[in-house]
Amino acid sequence: MGVTAELRVAVIGCGTLGTAIAAGLLSPKEPTELRVKHLTATVRTELSKRRVEDALSQHSSQLTVLTEEENVRAVREADLPGLGEDAASNSGRALQCVRAMPNMAAKIREAVTLYTAGPGTSNENLEIASWVFSQVGEAHRIPESSFDICAVLVGCAGSLLLLAIDGLLDAAVAEGVKRPEVQNLVVNSAIGMMKLVPAGDHPSVLREKIASPGGCSIRALLELERLGVRAAFTTAIMAAAEKSKRIWGWNGNLTTFLGHIGRALLGVLLPWVARPGSPISEVTVALRRKESEARLRDLCRSSQAPVNIISNQNINAVKNADAILLAFPPEQIRKVLEPVEMRRALRDKIIISILARTPQGKLKQLIGGNDKTTGLVTKDIRLVRAMPTMGTEVQESATLIGNPSNPAEKEAMELAMWMFNLVGKVFKVSPDYFDTATGMSAFCNALTTVALQTITQKAAAEGIPLENAVAIASQCIRGMVSMALSGASPGQLEHSLSAPGSITGQAIAGLRDGQLSTLLESSLSAAIVRARDEHS
């Protein structure tokens, strides 16, 4: 191996597979020029944190486990997974990415891991990727064009073989033999046969050798052929491959009409465009005014993603797109979407709307039009409604996505989930309370902003430098929110803070006496009413 390095590794989202890979990296099979100096794992919950710490307890001196709120910190402090978003946007260098797919056998270091290189990935990083996955089994580099079907084969082979073994054991039970008595016999027989395949024999040759004339094996094989088992396996893999394409295989032009949040979303999306595994190969931004181009080009300049910026050509932009992001101010909705040519252009497109106060049904009706010959049949419109928050700018959005109302919307939902998971957390909500949740989200942002401003201005008036006051207050708010996200209810938090004679308890009592709760309820109700007030 030509690479020599002590790596700081981050495993983002350390589930079962991530833990297995981490264990392999911290206890490599054999000494090489590469080694892990420190590994940081991030998980969703405190329970998961304890699970990972227990599983890797023997490596505690090399291990840090964080919750997902600190994903950015984990990436910034790591050498692997390579360049983060800041490095990509500030240096102008391409983000190097290796896409990999291990399987569950990583837990016993018998995985088969496929990996493929993104554009511009260096040989050094490919060598590191090969070393990483070699610690939990075999690592095979394959072309991106073959990755999806090979990943399906690697991912499904084990489960299909287990199904076959389970069927064999059922037959033994039916013949009066207890399952535990024959399970090891069947499993070890299968393992032995599998080990013969890499020696050079084709599976069909092995099968012929096993199936002696007039024997039991040939009779069993003929019965399987009669029942269509071979075709069933082929059909199953093809179905899995089709599912894989629906999840990851959509690859096309995303056209977006930008507002403020749309710009923030675009800034996060650009480093991912045209990367391996990304469903977006190109972005077209449609603007109303040509003077807006300069600001947008500044945003796109540091990205190597293919981006087209056009003005006053909405219909052409939609015609050439595979998916549309509606992110303009809602008062422009009729001007943008009512023209017959626009409705025709929207035919068969994936549509994601982040328009405030614009229900999905109203959008579908507007796009479909009254005349079915000029628009779309409403049920066939592939539209999903989403509502990100201003936290998009710092990848901390709480994005609401409306549950699909029919199968036609499934692909739009999958693309929306992929996009908005890049900028924070996604919450699937029913259309029945989508507007209520939107009002609540908007109110939370407003409340935090006003409260922070009031607190810090008073603190500054009492002599604390404003910058320090903002930092202290923000961290206090973040701490309380983190406790709530960890499972503590608001009531439990208030109780724990309300110790007799405590400063916090006195502050809570003062807020209660000032009827803050009543004021909050009234303001929240007003926000919800506003969210439900459809834009005409």
Side-chain angles (χ1 to χ4, degrees), residues 198-210:
D201 282 341
H202 191 278
S204 62
V205 176
L206 283 174
R207 191 182 70 243
E208 289 177 6
K209 290 180 179 179
I210 295 167

Side-chain angles (χ1 to χ4, degrees), residues 16 36 39 65 86 224 240 263 307 314 414 433 487 495 499 519 523:
T16 302
V36 173
L39 188 143
V65 185
D86 290 343
L224 289 175
R263 283 189 179 85
V307 181
N314 289 349
E414 289 171 348
Y433 58 83
H495 178 74
L519 177 61
S523 300

Side-chain angles (χ1 to χ4, degrees), residues 49-108:
K49 181 178 178 181
R50 289 193 293 273
R51 173 186 58 77
V52 174
E53 288 173 338
D54 289 345
L56 303 175
S57 58
Q58 67 188 92
H59 307 289
S60 57
S61 62
Q62 295 172 268
L63 178 70
T64 301
V65 185
L66 306 171
T67 53
E68 62 183 6
E69 286 78 13
E70 297 191 88
N71 281 348
V72 174
R73 170 192 161 187
V75 172
R76 282 177 176 164
E77 294 177 356
D79 305 303
L80 198 70
L83 299 175
E85 292 85 358
D86 290 343
S89 61
N90 293 336
S91 68
R93 292 180 291 174
L95 186 63
Q96 297 191 41
C97 175
V98 176
R99 182 185 179 195
M101 186 64 65
N103 61 18
M104 194 55 71
K107 295 175 68 174
I108 56 171

Side-chain angles (χ1 to χ4, degrees), residues 36 144 152 156 159 188 201 246 267 309 315 386 398 498 503 522 532:
V36 173
E144 172 68 23
V152 167
C156 294
S159 57
N188 288 330
D201 282 341
R246 287 200 301 271
I309 302 174
I315 293 174
S498 300
I503 299 172
S522 175
R532 291 173 176 169

Side-chain angles (χ1 to χ4, degrees), residues 164-174 177 179 182-184 186-187:
I165 289 172
D166 200 38
L168 294 174
L169 295 177
D170 284 345
V173 173
V177 181
R179 184 180 291 260
V182 292
Q183 180 164 315
N184 284 343
V186 174
V187 170

Side-chain angles (χ1 to χ4, degrees), residues 175-197:
E175 291 294 323
V177 181
K178 293 181 179 179
R179 184 180 291 260
E181 294 176 6
V182 292
Q183 180 164 315
N184 284 343
L185 297 176
V186 174
V187 170
N188 288 330
S189 295
I191 291 173
M193 286 296 102
M194 293 305 102
K195 287 183 177 179
L196 289 174
V197 176

